[in-house]
Amino acid sequence: MDAQAVVKVMAGLPGAEEHEGWAGQPVFKVRNKSFAYMSEDQTRLHLKALREEQEALVAEDPEVYAPSWDGGRFAWVLIQLELADEEELGELITEAWRLTAPKYLIAQLT
């Protein structure tokens, strides 16, 4: 999956907005809370996930997924976009959004 495809998935999520991060990279937020960060060169994506999901993804395919920062009940996963399966990445993006979005926006997606 490339950066344009990622942006297209984000555009389909209610309330998702693209912002410019501190280094000029795209940051995706819902209700002013971040759920995804793209690298400056748009080859990697940091996604919000549950700790268990992060661990499972990294164990399943360490060439595609790497652990990133964590805090509280969430852990972030770093994804190599060119190696990621498009369908799985779409699901992971949607799940990251669900972890961040309020219930009324989540209801709009289903």
Side-chain angles (χ1 to χ4, degrees):
M1 182 178 263
D2 64 14
Q4 289 179 332
V6 168
V7 172
K8 186 176 178 182
V9 171
M10 300 290 186
L13 299 171
E17 299 177 341
E18 183 176 342
H19 295 265
E20 186 174 312
W22 62 273
Q25 81 279 21
V27 176
F28 299 92
K29 298 181 178 188
V30 61
R31 302 250 330 164
N32 212 29
K33 294 181 180 178
S34 303
F35 66 94
Y37 296 84
M38 195 173 302
S39 63
E40 287 180 69
D41 63 3
Q42 299 187 347
T43 61
R44 296 175 313 280
L45 185 68
H46 288 269
L47 277 181
K48 188 177 198 176
L50 295 174
R51 288 178 181 271
E52 299 81 17
E53 177 108 41
Q54 180 206 54
E55 291 171 5
L57 289 167
V58 172
E60 175 186 316
D61 198 344
E63 288 186 28
V64 178
Y65 305 104
S68 188
W69 65 88
D70 58 51
R73 65 182 182 154
F74 299 111
W76 291 70
V77 62
L78 177 62
I79 303 166
Q80 299 295 326
L81 290 177
E82 68 180 24
L83 301 175
D85 176 76
E86 191 167 329
E87 185 176 330
E88 182 175 42
L89 185 53
E91 291 172 7
L92 292 171
I93 290 168
T94 302
E95 184 58 27
W97 171 85
R98 283 181 194 273
L99 292 171
T100 310
K103 291 179 183 179
Y104 78 91
L105 286 177
I106 293 170
Q108 292 178 23
L109 186 65
T110 55

